[in-house]
Amino acid sequence: MRRIGFLLFIGLLAFFLAGCGEKSKDEVLDKLTEQAEKIKGYKYNAKMSLALGTEKQEYNVEVWHQKPEYYRVYMKNAARDQSQMILRNKDGVYVLTPSMNKSFKFRSDWPKNSSQPYFYESLIKDLSEDQDAKFTQSKDYYVFEGKTRYQYNKSLPYQQVTFRKKDLSPVSVKVMDQDRKVMLTVEFTDIKFNAPFDDKAFDLNRNMSSALLEVPASKEEADSNFTVKIPMAEIPGAELVDEEEVMTGNGKRVVMTYDGEKSFTFMQEKIHVKETVAMPTLALEGDPVDLGFTVGVLTDHSLLWADDGVEYMIASNDLSREEMVMLAKSVDAASEK
């Protein structure tokens, strides 16, 4: 009887210790999902670093979310003195680009239609939908490694996401290429779950005004020259057949024409921002798309973006959206022509 009692005691002790020990992947995902559903919103800051292209780039990112569908992402690259904002409110989705003195309005499901490395609930959804996601834990952190859901960027298929054990807040995201080389890192700070927002926090006019304040004071330039770049990605069925330099009221515009089964036009032009009370808003059927180094404006037949004082556009009736994004990303990686 003593032996049976001793074995029973050992069994109960083991059961108790197991219950108080490390949690399984499913248990942690359930807790994360529950928290994402329970909170009313959040505010946090992040530092985003990219290894895309020839130079490492860093952005300061401010993220706001108020349920059910209000979002605000403000990104600033201090080195290039440029900023952008993505805003979603009751009227739609907007991309505000002060350096271009433009804003764009979309009919879009953003941010629900793709992975978003800076949104808490998007990261949790990525991991929950990946049956093969790997899971480890340490004294203070839960670490997942799984697949991304990028809609137009298949070259970054994996990510590692770290959460704090004590409050399930995000610590970092590392997005990797096919060889699991880290190409993009997001590190989160100043996290406030259930943060309060005033009535105008997601108002378009207020955010337009604050975005315009980020535009540097205009300076007279000697000329409108800029470094001409070319897409480095190879598109089978497209060949460069013409390059034309056009002088406009703003200066030089370079137009490259690619012909073949996958024909397209690639244009680039120096931006000259004029002081204005408010940005004009252009309505489009499309989506904001994260190119890594900037946020682009993507439709079925065009992709527009600005980078380092230059406006770029790809226009085509033959390219898919994914192909246009691939070309745009390869332009940033290109060396001088």
Side-chain angles (χ1 to χ4, degrees), residues 100-239:
M100 293 170 61
N101 191 31
K102 292 178 183 177
S103 65
F104 302 88
K105 180 181 179 181
F106 301 91
R107 291 182 181 178
S108 172
D109 289 332
W110 183 91
K112 297 179 180 180
N113 54 0
S114 181
S115 288
Q116 308 292 338
Y118 28 70
F119 287 142
Y120 184 61
E121 66 280 6
S122 178
L123 295 169
I124 295 170
K125 183 177 181 180
D126 289 349
L127 298 169
S128 298
E129 293 186 357
D130 184 2
Q131 299 285 331
D132 300 320
K134 298 178 182 178
F135 172 71
T136 58
Q137 56 186 301
S138 63
K139 178 182 176 182
D140 298 316
Y141 303 111
Y142 296 123
V143 182
F144 292 85
E145 187 170 318
K147 299 174 184 175
T148 62
R149 294 180 297 115
Y150 291 123
Q151 190 172 7
Y152 305 117
N153 193 350
K154 308 301 183 184
S155 64
L156 298 175
Y158 305 112
Q159 62 183 340
Q160 183 187 86
V161 188
T162 302
F163 300 93
R164 287 183 184 83
K165 278 188 172 181
K166 65 178 181 180
D167 61 1
L168 302 180
S169 62
V171 177
S172 66
V173 181
K174 296 179 180 179
V175 183
M176 298 168 279
D177 64 12
Q178 296 281 0
D179 299 322
R180 297 190 184 269
K181 178 182 177 182
V182 176
M183 305 302 291
L184 183 152
T185 302
V186 182
E187 298 174 312
F188 302 95
T189 58
D190 305 321
I191 299 164
K192 298 181 179 67
F193 288 135
N194 297 312
F197 294 98
D198 64 49
D199 292 340
K200 296 288 187 178
F202 300 89
D203 179 74
L204 176 62
N205 291 330
R206 178 199 276 189
N207 283 288
M208 276 186 171
S209 298
S210 65
L212 282 170
L213 292 175
E214 296 297 326
V215 180
S218 60
K219 297 178 182 179
E220 292 296 327
E221 299 181 15
D223 55 47
S224 298
N225 290 329
F226 56 93
T227 300
V228 178
K229 294 184 177 182
I230 59 175
M232 300 301 289
E234 293 186 7
I235 300 290
E239 180 180 358

Side-chain angles (χ1 to χ4, degrees), residues 270-295:
K270 189 75 174 179
I271 299 169
H272 294 268
V273 178
K274 297 179 181 179
E275 293 184 6
T276 184
V277 176
M279 300 183 209
T281 300
L282 307 176
L284 295 171
E285 291 284 344
D287 293 292
V289 59
D290 191 343
L291 300 175
F293 56 92
T294 191
V295 176

Side-chain angles (χ1 to χ4, degrees), residues 1-135:
M1 289 293 293
R2 281 184 182 178
R3 181 175 178 80
I4 293 173
F6 178 74
L7 291 174
L8 180 61
F9 170 76
I10 293 297
L12 289 172
L13 180 62
F15 177 79
F16 175 77
L17 291 175
C20 296
E22 295 184 342
K23 297 186 179 296
S24 69
K25 179 179 76 172
D26 289 342
E27 288 175 321
V28 175
L29 282 174
D30 286 344
K31 288 178 62 178
L32 286 165
T33 301
E34 181 182 357
Q35 170 140 304
E37 292 175 349
K38 181 175 64 176
I39 59 176
K40 297 178 181 178
Y42 49 74
K43 287 182 181 179
Y44 47 70
N45 296 322
K47 179 181 177 181
M48 186 166 67
S49 304
L50 297 103
L52 304 172
T54 56
E55 298 179 0
K56 182 178 180 180
Q57 299 182 39
E58 293 187 350
Y59 292 80
N60 295 320
V61 185
E62 185 179 66
V63 181
W64 296 357
H65 171 44
Q66 183 182 40
K67 286 186 175 178
E69 294 185 339
Y70 285 12
Y71 292 89
R72 178 184 179 274
V73 180
Y74 172 69
M75 295 178 283
K76 183 170 184 178
N77 183 329
R80 296 193 179 191
D81 202 14
Q82 68 181 34
S83 61
Q84 281 185 299
M85 185 184 296
I86 314 177
L87 180 72
R88 178 170 185 145
N89 59 25
K90 63 182 177 62
D91 298 316
V93 177
Y94 299 86
V95 171
L96 283 57
T97 306
S99 64
M100 293 170 61
N101 191 31
K102 292 178 183 177
S103 65
F104 302 88
K105 180 181 179 181
F106 301 91
R107 291 182 181 178
S108 172
D109 289 332
W110 183 91
K112 297 179 180 180
N113 54 0
S114 181
S115 288
Q116 308 292 338
Y118 28 70
F119 287 142
Y120 184 61
E121 66 280 6
S122 178
L123 295 169
I124 295 170
K125 183 177 181 180
D126 289 349
L127 298 169
S128 298
E129 293 186 357
D130 184 2
Q131 299 285 331
D132 300 320
K134 298 178 182 178
F135 172 71

Side-chain angles (χ1 to χ4, degrees), residues 256 258 263-267 301-305 313-319 324:
M256 298 178 183
Y258 290 75
S263 64
F264 65 92
T265 301
F266 174 53
M267 291 174 281
H301 302 296
S302 66
L303 174 54
L304 176 70
W305 74 97
M313 186 173 75
I314 295 169
S316 175
N317 289 322
D318 300 324
L319 295 178
M324 286 190 287

